[in-house]
Amino acid sequence: MFSLRDMFFISMLIQAASILAPVFIGGQRRASALAHITLVAGLITGFISSFLAVFFPMAHTVGTGFFGLPPEYFRFDPLALYFLCVVQAVAIPTAVFSYSYLEHYIGEGRSVKSLYVFFAGMLIATQMVVTINHAIVFLVFWEATSMSAYLGMIFEKEKKEVQKGSFYYFVMNHVVIFLLYIFFFILHRQTGSWLLSDFRVVTGNSGLTALLFLLALAAFGMKAGFMPFHFWLPRAHPIAPSTISAFLSGIIIKLGIYGLFRAFQILSPAPLWIGWLVLVVSMITAIFGVWYALAQHDIKKLLAYHSVENIGIIGIGMGIGFIGSAYANIPMQILGFGGALLHVLNHAVFKSLLFLGSGVINNNLGTRNIELMGGIVHKAGFFVFLFLTGSVAICGIPPLNGFVSEFIIFNSFFTAARELKEYYPLMMLVSAVGLAFVGGLAVACFTKINAIMFLGTQRGETKPFHVSAYDYISLGVLALLCVVIGFCPVPFINAVNNVVSGIVPQGGAELLNINWLYITVIFTLFSAVALAMYFISKAMRKKFGFRESDAWCCGYNRLGPRMQYTASSFADQINDIARAPLGYHKKGRAGEGIFPPSSGFESHSADLVDNRIIVPGYKKFISLMSAIRLPGNTDIRYYVAYILIMIIVYSVVGFLWH
Amino acid sequence: MALMNIFEGLASLFFVLLFAPLFAGLVNKQKAMMTGRVGAPVWQPYYDLFKLFRKETIRAKSASFISGLSPAINFAAVIIAASMLPVCNAHPLISFKGDIILFAYILGTARFFQILAAMDIGSSFEGMGASREASFAIFVEPIFFFTLGSIAFITGFTSISDIYRSIAMDRMSYTVFIVVCSISFFILAVTECSRMPVDDPNTHLELTMIHEVMILDNSGQDLFFYQYSGNIKLLIYIVLETAFYYPLGAGLTAVGVTIFALNILFVSFVLAGVETVTSRFKLKDMPHYLLFAAAIGILNLLIFTFNK
Amino acid sequence: MENVLSILFCLSLLYLALTSRVKHCVNVLQAQGIILAVINTLPLFHHFTLGEIILPAALLGIKGVLIPFYIRKIITDLDIKDPIEPTIQQFTFIMLVITLMSAVFVASGILAKSTEINIIPFASGFSAIITGILVIIFRKKLLVHVMGFLAMENGIFLFGSAIAFKLPVIIELGMLLDIFVVVFLMGIALNKISTTLSGFEAAQLRRLKD
């Protein structure tokens, strides 16, 4: 019997082998098929072992393994295994989807080999990141993940927007890695070890702990996309190929969350103000993320802002956990971290579902502008049903999985109010209201995109809508996961509880004490009643008659597609409420007179952080840097020479320092 | 004991299902009388529902499976919500720690599908209604948490029936707190059930409607389910509103039930009165109105918290 | 009882921030005056002195009757339009008011630990001052500025009843007279302005310089 460690390596080897296929096989289609089969096989191998390890923690052994690598370089603790399991669970459907997605590009006559290689590289590097225990190797794979995502992102590099959008991602990644270097070097100096599991801070050194926490928050928070650092998400996601952006949004931003958990393990207990900082920032992130999303017309940009929102929700859970750790309060930590961890899984599942769905739409209609869509439900009903499942889940409304994790987070608020008394009931109430407000806005946003994209009739030119079997498989698996976690959360709660007891060593049964059975029963009841009513009304329709007719339009009978409500109008009322903070402005011209000229209405929302801080800051930085004039400003060879000089300077300084 | 609880729960659920149309009829009747009309009989909503149930269903040509699914989901959602109600302080059918969240969110599910079904037609009228519904709905959950939720956070109970059981009007400050909460909740009820200052249930112009315009293209069984769910939802909110005053003596005794009935009657009277004297707000001003309700909640809470 | 009235006072402040009609503002101010009068009458139920009834009576007379009457007269005389023109969105304005109010309540909660104050009236009074200032900052009409100023004054009175030591009645009466004179002067000034300028907006006052 293989141990977990062996299975992991075998799976990694199979996945790595899949990269060879496009290198050695000439035919695009054959290479793609072989590569994907190998990749999925490798992923499934890995998934089975990590799944067993997460859901049946008693039955597995990590083992030492017979591969020659030093065993301490890898860390298969519950947290790593949980993230590994999430990564693989999402990677499998994404890989299946990738096959039919690449078919589309092959049909256009493009060479897709590079995209495949970077995609597979991204998957492999991500799986390594969550299991690596050595700081330097961690950084290497971290960089590999980011860069393969970047290289995949610039697949359509001839487009101007792709060059521009990906650049922000590129810069962001380098700032993150720079901060991480500092973070790990400080920790290394403290402990003298390079292993993540050995990192500790001397207790009592609160200044250093605070500094390290801030570094970790800045670095991992930037990767995750917390509010002031979220600017790269809405730029990078729309331009990336859908497989990349699904994985980017579903998993790679979660690496930031993984990093925060690891940082917490190293630095715990967190100071109280860090907890509050995380909670407040997350709340702002969640509310404004979803509100900015509401004003978007580009489906992928909208989904990117929703990733910001969901990172905010995860952050709220973590914030409660941090506050709990500052008070050494076990139930708060368990519920807060538990809610955050479960939401990591949930968001990974439904966000990949939605991004892959947007990829299908984009391929068929050739546009990402939702104002030009409509009526897809009449062409691909089941596809719409799957997308709708993801939408219901992401809104956090029953009976799907989004509700379960938000329910845990709400419970953590209640627990915090009960345990910490004083002003906490008030603060927690405000947090609960904030989360409820986010839920309401998410409902508005997802009714908007589902309604405008799928319902009614097609607004732009009519095109056939084709969804391949592979698309259905990958979307179906993800949608099924949403349903399963929603209706039957107990095994997932058990798994999360196991992970949390690795983070909060004292442990407790708060997560298990929630009446999950009630949730299951009520959801089943709810679906049963709904289905029963559906069939009753169907039977009654048969009995009392049924016919179709034109929609009521005050007697006017030429209702055209362009007369339908648009996304801008739908969202206008909500965005109008807070014009200033959203940077929401609209232009309208109404026709007057007997023969009015054409009239129109358009609305835009400018991201305040983006418009006021990032872009001007970037421009100022550029102008500052271009003020520095060195000889050979345009020749790359001079730059290489400068790098050499810098290395010498650093070495001399370092030598003299010792 | 457990069997008794289940019996009480079933009885309250049937109470809500049975009397929901009656309550709507009662409000309409009183409203008519206050404006000097005779008005339809109190039983009129039953006749309407019965009539709708037996009618032919007509759907728009552009409608999809959403239009068929939404009425059923709406109905199922309000039934689940209704079974969490502590009618007359009885033990509800569904009651567990944290059901207040489920209550708020399951109504969100109903709203989600209702909005989608409205947009399903592809007509601007429905779009208008859906957009308005979505924009007012974002305030509903915050107000809900500032009223009922605030009691939950203060007392530490997280189940609706426990929350209401914990209310005791023994202290002056707590009584004031509960009264102001109930006022704020009343505004919420008016918004959610699309009653007068927010939405005019009797309007006849598509451009000014909110809830009514969303179901403009529904008929037959679809409309039956929407109307019936609407009635149930109204009674749900009214029961929650009266529940703030359960300490006045409502309970499962003869006197208690009478007090409960009088409570409900009084609220129907207030509702009819409010509908008589107010006119519908401008749509543009509606967010301010709702924000005002939320602000009352916040202020109330602040005052209560610091009044030690 | 004092707390209940303070809550009513706070609610009236919220309404003052929310309403978009000048007439409603006057009503709110009148209500506030009456509430203040009642609050100042309360101690008399425990310990009645004839001398102390002057203050509530004067409050009722000036704030509850005279000033509202005078402002209504100005409104009809000068034909001031009813809607209030805010300079920022109502939503943002109310959010601002609520946030600052919460901050005031939290701050006075902390303050109450070290000093002898009655939190609720203290915080309500403080919120009234802040709301008044915000009204002056974010409204265009000059008359509404006067009302913001009056709300501030109301807050100061509530403040006075919240702190433990009592100001001499004569000082409070002096303050009342002061306010009345200020409002009176404002009315005269508005009358004068109306003859030279057509509108009553603060922005137009800029033209008056030199």
Side-chain angles (χ1 to χ4, degrees):
Chain A
M1 193 58 205
F2 290 119
S3 69
L4 174 75
R5 196 178 282 269
D6 296 332
M7 288 289 275
F8 176 71
F9 284 123
I10 292 170
S11 119
M12 287 319 251
L13 284 179
I14 301 174
Q15 291 175 46
S18 78
I19 293 182
L20 297 178
V23 178
F24 290 113
I25 297 178
Q28 291 246 39
R29 270 174 221 275
R30 272 198 307 157
S32 159
L34 188 63
H36 280 101
I37 290 170
T38 325
L39 180 65
V40 171
L43 282 169
I44 288 177
T45 319
F47 179 68
I48 291 171
S49 65
S50 66
F51 177 83
L52 289 177
V54 169
F55 286 87
F56 304 97
M58 294 304 137
H60 86 274
T61 49
V62 172
T64 46
F66 50 42
F67 292 95
L69 282 166
E72 71 273 10
Y73 274 25
F74 286 89
R75 188 182 194 184
F76 290 100
D77 65 341
L79 184 67
L81 282 172
Y82 180 77
F83 272 89
L84 186 64
C85 191
V86 173
V87 171
Q88 287 166 341
V90 170
I92 294 170
T94 314
V96 172
F97 180 87
S98 165
Y99 177 68
S100 81
Y101 192 74
L102 294 190
E103 281 288 287
H104 171 79
Y105 279 119
I106 294 171
E108 282 182 3
R110 289 187 70 114
S111 167
V112 294
K113 284 181 175 173
S114 65
L115 181 55
Y116 176 77
V117 169
F118 297 135
F119 174 70
M122 179 175 73
L123 297 192
I124 295 166
T126 313
Q127 291 169 60
M128 293 301 279
V129 166
V130 294
T131 47
I132 283 292
N133 194 26
H134 190 281
I136 298 295
V137 188
F138 177 89
L139 286 178
V140 169
F141 277 106
W142 180 276
E143 186 70 0
T145 311
S146 313
M147 282 307 108
S148 47
Y150 169 73
L151 292 169
M153 192 184 290
I154 55 169
F155 178 59
E156 294 180 87
K157 46 193 166 296
E158 66 281 355
K159 290 186 185 160
K160 192 88 189 156
E161 51 160 4
V162 173
Q163 296 163 6
K164 255 182 122 172
S166 57
F167 182 67
Y168 280 85
Y169 176 74
F170 188 79
V171 172
M172 180 280 296
N173 271 314
H174 279 94
V175 175
V176 169
I177 203 105
F178 175 67
L179 292 173
L180 282 184
Y181 269 119
I182 302 175
F183 180 69
F184 283 135
F185 281 146
I186 293 178
L187 280 171
H188 173 64
R189 278 191 75 92
Q190 288 289 311
T191 54
S193 162
W194 280 115
L195 296 186
L196 291 179
S197 50
D198 286 348
F199 282 159
R200 281 288 166 277
V201 173
V202 186
T203 41
N205 196 345
S206 58
L208 186 68
T209 310
L211 175 73
L212 284 172
F213 246 116
L214 283 180
L215 268 175
L217 278 183
F220 293 122
M222 194 178 273
K223 187 77 180 176
F226 280 100
M227 202 50 165
F229 308 127
H230 71 286
F231 58 89
W232 65 274
L233 276 142
R235 288 171 198 274
H237 281 83
I239 53 156
S242 287
T243 47
I244 302 282
S245 55
F247 199 74
L248 201 60
S249 182
I251 298 297
I252 291 189
I253 59 171
K254 305 303 182 337
L255 290 184
I257 301 296
Y258 171 78
L260 278 179
F261 271 113
R262 282 283 182 231
F264 174 72
Q265 277 185 324
I266 295 167
L267 303 171
S268 75
L272 183 59
W273 61 271
I274 284 283
W276 277 109
L277 182 73
V278 172
L279 186 63
V280 170
V281 166
S282 306
M283 197 56 87
I284 293 170
T285 306
I287 291 177
F288 281 95
V290 64
W291 216 327
Y292 282 129
L294 197 56
Q296 305 304 324
H297 314 299
D298 179 328
I299 167 76
K300 279 190 163 179
K301 209 168 179 182
L302 186 147
L303 290 176
Y305 272 115
H306 268 288
S307 297
V308 177
E309 173 223 337
N310 277 285
I311 284 294
I313 293 177
I314 295 170
I316 291 171
M318 296 189 76
I320 297 288
F322 287 166
I323 293 174
S325 89
Y327 283 102
N329 186 313
I330 305 296
M332 268 176 77
Q333 291 182 61
I334 288 177
L335 286 172
F337 290 142
L341 278 171
L342 190 64
H343 204 74
V344 165
L345 169 64
N346 287 343
H347 180 244
V349 171
F350 49 62
K351 190 44 74 67
S352 336
L353 168 58
L354 293 173
F355 260 115
L356 297 182
S358 80
V360 173
I361 297 167
N362 191 8
N363 276 357
N364 275 297
L365 302 180
T367 176
R368 294 195 308 264
N369 187 354
I370 61 173
E371 303 277 30
L372 301 176
M373 302 176 190
I376 295 176
V377 70
H378 302 296
K379 297 177 205 157
F382 189 60
F383 168 74
V384 171
F385 180 77
L386 293 177
F387 197 92
L388 194 63
T389 312
S391 312
V392 171
I394 200 175
C395 290
I397 50 182
L400 298 183
N401 59 352
F403 177 75
V404 176
S405 42
E406 288 199 17
F407 187 70
I408 300 177
I409 294 177
F410 270 113
N411 264 308
S412 75
F413 293 152
F414 284 126
T415 310
R418 199 165 39 230
E419 300 265 332
L420 299 179
K421 294 288 179 229
E422 275 194 82
Y423 299 136
Y424 274 87
L426 196 66
M427 306 300 183
M428 289 303 123
L429 175 64
V430 173
S431 313
V433 169
L435 195 52
F437 190 61
V438 169
L441 283 172
V443 166
C445 190
F446 274 94
T447 47
K448 175 186 107 167
I449 62 166
N450 279 288
I452 304 296
M453 292 200 308
F454 300 143
L455 307 179
T457 41
Q458 168 92 47
R459 288 174 182 77
E461 53 177 317
T462 328
K463 281 179 185 168
F465 199 87
H466 174 72
V467 187
S468 77
Y470 297 103
D471 298 344
Y472 274 132
I473 291 172
S474 59
L475 295 180
V477 166
L478 291 167
L480 193 68
L481 258 177
C482 288
V483 175
V484 169
I485 302 176
F487 275 82
C488 165
V490 179
F492 300 93
I493 299 295
N494 275 325
V496 167
N497 192 46
N498 186 32
V499 180
V500 173
S501 33
I503 303 170
V504 189
Q506 291 89 344
E510 271 70 21
L511 273 171
L512 310 174
N513 283 345
I514 299 172
N515 276 317
W516 294 113
L517 194 63
Y518 268 104
I519 300 279
T520 308
V521 170
I522 291 168
F523 285 1
T524 319
L525 217 65
F526 172 70
S527 328
V529 174
L531 278 180
M533 291 305 144
Y534 181 70
F535 286 114
I536 285 177
S537 71
K538 211 168 188 178
M540 289 300 122
R541 279 208 297 275
K542 215 164 248 171
K543 194 172 172 199
F544 298 116
F546 174 75
R547 78 190 147 90
E548 289 196 328
S549 140
D550 286 330
W552 166 245
C553 201
C554 285
Y556 181 76
N557 65 356
R558 295 195 189 281
L559 201 65
R562 279 164 55 82
M563 285 179 206
Q564 296 173 92
Y565 229 55
T566 59
S568 322
S569 325
F570 187 88
D572 176 56
Q573 194 136 17
I574 302 178
N575 289 326
D576 218 24
I577 296 170
R579 251 174 280 153
L582 291 185
Y584 181 73
H585 55 99
K586 47 188 175 183
K587 273 197 297 236
R589 45 179 203 288
E592 279 176 18
I594 302 170
F595 298 107
S598 70
S599 46
F601 163 77
E602 55 185 295
S603 65
H604 300 281
S605 169
D607 191 327
L608 275 193
V609 180
D610 218 34
N611 270 19
R612 294 279 158 81
I613 302 170
I614 304 298
V615 174
Y618 172 69
K619 280 197 180 129
K620 206 158 266 171
F621 183 73
I622 290 287
S623 65
L624 205 72
M625 284 297 127
S626 42
I628 303 171
R629 295 231 162 257
L630 292 170
N633 227 355
T634 51
D635 196 335
I636 192 164
R637 288 170 298 175
Y638 280 92
Y639 281 92
V640 177
Y642 292 140
I643 290 171
L644 184 66
I645 293 167
M646 277 322 279
I647 289 173
I648 293 166
V649 170
Y650 278 139
S651 315
V652 169
V653 170
F655 185 72
L656 292 178
W657 193 279
H658 277 287
Chain B
M1 193 58 208
L3 204 66
M4 195 60 200
N5 282 348
I6 294 175
F7 177 72
E8 279 180 19
L10 281 175
S12 7
L13 181 59
F14 281 117
F15 164 81
V16 174
L17 292 185
L18 209 58
F19 287 102
L22 178 66
F23 183 81
L26 210 60
V27 174
N28 288 344
K29 182 76 179 173
Q30 290 184 56
K31 196 173 149 192
M33 280 158 68
M34 283 180 198
T35 46
R37 291 177 283 125
V38 179
V42 209
W43 311 107
Q44 189 62 40
Y46 290 100
Y47 302 147
D48 286 346
L49 288 176
F50 187 64
K51 178 190 73 187
L52 283 175
F53 192 67
R54 297 170 52 81
K55 279 202 127 181
E56 181 194 27
T57 306
I58 304 170
R59 276 211 197 124
K61 276 175 188 154
S62 47
S64 67
F65 69 94
I66 304 270
S67 288
L69 213 56
S70 161
I73 289 180
N74 246 292
F75 190 67
V78 289
I79 284 193
I80 297 290
S83 45
M84 289 181 217
L85 279 187
V87 178
C88 201
N89 238 344
H91 201 278
L93 196 58
I94 298 173
S95 170
F96 61 99
K97 284 203 179 97
D99 65 0
I100 178 173
I101 301 157
L102 183 66
F103 179 86
Y105 273 67
I106 201 122
L107 291 175
T109 312
R111 201 179 300 123
F112 186 93
F113 280 94
Q114 176 125 46
I115 293 172
L116 271 190
M119 295 294 284
D120 194 19
I121 313 295
S123 150
S124 305
F125 286 138
E126 271 92 346
M128 223 179 285
S131 154
R132 286 168 191 168
E133 172 87 8
S135 61
F136 301 148
I138 62 170
F139 292 104
V140 165
E141 276 157 18
I143 301 177
F144 182 78
F145 275 99
F146 270 131
T147 50
L148 204 52
S150 64
I151 306 176
F153 275 98
I154 288 167
T155 58
F157 293 107
T158 52
S159 158
I160 292 183
S161 66
D162 289 343
I163 292 170
Y164 278 118
R165 246 163 241 211
S166 73
I167 295 177
M169 296 191 172
D170 46 359
R171 276 179 299 147
M172 183 69 181
S173 60
Y174 197 48
T175 311
V176 173
F177 175 70
I178 295 297
V179 171
V180 180
C181 265
S182 75
I183 293 172
S184 196
F185 197 86
F186 187 76
I187 297 180
L188 168 69
V190 162
T191 317
E192 262 289 77
C193 304
S194 17
R195 305 299 298 195
M196 193 56 154
V198 175
D199 186 10
D200 189 349
N202 295 325
T203 181
H204 287 289
L205 185 62
E206 290 90 340
L207 291 173
T208 60
M209 300 193 251
I210 298 171
H211 182 74
E212 290 295 305
V213 76
M214 289 173 68
I215 51 176
L216 201 61
D217 267 291
N218 289 100
S219 57
Q221 287 86 38
D222 291 352
L223 190 57
F224 163 80
F225 279 123
Y226 282 136
Q227 296 280 31
Y228 194 27
S229 323
N231 288 338
I232 296 173
K233 205 166 158 188
L234 178 62
L235 191 57
I236 288 175
Y237 273 97
I238 296 307
V239 167
L240 286 182
E241 170 74 24
T242 52
F244 282 108
Y245 298 97
Y246 280 170
L248 296 180
L252 286 176
T253 58
V255 185
V257 173
T258 322
I259 291 176
F260 172 72
L262 284 176
N263 247 336
I264 295 267
L265 271 179
F266 178 71
V267 176
S268 78
F269 175 76
V270 172
L271 197 58
V274 168
E275 296 209 349
T276 312
V277 297
T278 57
S279 57
R280 204 176 61 81
F281 285 146
K282 264 197 248 170
L283 282 168
K284 201 165 57 106
D285 292 343
M286 219 75 84
H288 309 158
Y289 176 67
L290 297 176
L291 197 63
F292 184 59
I296 293 178
I298 299 170
L299 193 64
N300 193 22
L301 196 72
L302 279 174
I303 288 169
F304 183 73
T305 318
F306 288 105
N307 188 14
K308 291 277 161 66
Chain C
M1 197 61 201
E2 198 179 27
N3 290 349
V4 176
L5 288 170
S6 303
I7 294 171
L8 277 180
F9 186 80
C10 277
L11 288 181
S12 73
L13 280 179
L14 275 183
Y15 192 71
L16 185 74
L18 180 83
T19 185
S20 55
R21 288 177 188 283
V22 176
K23 281 186 186 126
H24 290 192
C25 279
V26 188
N27 294 344
V28 165
L29 286 177
Q30 192 162 20
Q32 284 185 352
I34 294 166
I35 292 172
L36 281 180
V38 176
I39 288 180
N40 277 295
T41 326
L42 286 178
L44 300 182
F45 286 111
H46 300 293
H47 173 70
F48 185 82
T49 48
L50 200 61
E52 288 191 4
I53 207 166
I54 300 171
L55 179 68
L59 266 173
L60 192 66
I62 295 181
K63 280 187 182 281
V65 182
L66 265 180
I67 294 182
F69 173 77
Y70 184 65
I71 295 180
R72 286 202 186 100
K73 187 170 169 298
I74 294 177
I75 292 173
T76 35
D77 282 358
L78 301 183
D79 195 22
I80 290 174
K81 301 272 182 306
D82 208 21
I84 292 174
E85 296 118 23
T87 49
I88 56 167
Q89 252 193 315
Q90 280 291 53
F91 183 88
T92 327
F93 186 65
I94 298 168
M95 284 309 244
L96 203 62
V97 170
I98 278 289
T99 322
L100 285 176
M101 261 191 188
S102 316
V104 164
F105 269 90
V106 173
S108 39
I110 295 164
L111 212 65
K113 282 176 187 158
S114 55
T115 45
E116 281 277 309
I117 49 168
N118 196 346
I119 303 179
I120 304 296
F122 182 84
S124 313
F126 213 134
S127 330
I129 295 173
I130 289 191
T131 315
I133 293 173
L134 285 178
V135 165
I136 293 177
I137 295 173
F138 291 114
R139 299 287 190 239
K140 276 187 192 158
K141 279 204 166 69
L142 274 179
L143 195 70
V144 183
H145 289 189
V146 180
M147 293 189 212
F149 172 72
L150 285 172
M152 262 168 74
E153 287 292 342
N154 288 343
I156 291 171
F157 265 92
L158 202 55
F159 227 52
S161 64
I163 45 179
F165 57 92
K166 207 83 186 112
L167 289 172
V169 175
I170 192 74
I171 294 180
E172 298 206 355
L173 281 178
M175 269 161 65
L176 260 182
L177 192 70
D178 207 32
I179 298 162
F180 185 66
V181 170
V182 166
V183 173
F184 195 65
L185 285 177
M186 204 70 160
I188 294 169
L190 274 180
N191 262 320
K192 286 282 174 208
I193 294 170
S194 75
T195 52
T196 44
L197 291 169
S198 55
F200 305 98
E201 292 186 357
Q204 288 176 331
L205 285 185
R206 262 182 289 174
R207 286 205 269 150
L208 283 182
K209 102 182 155 182
D210 301 330

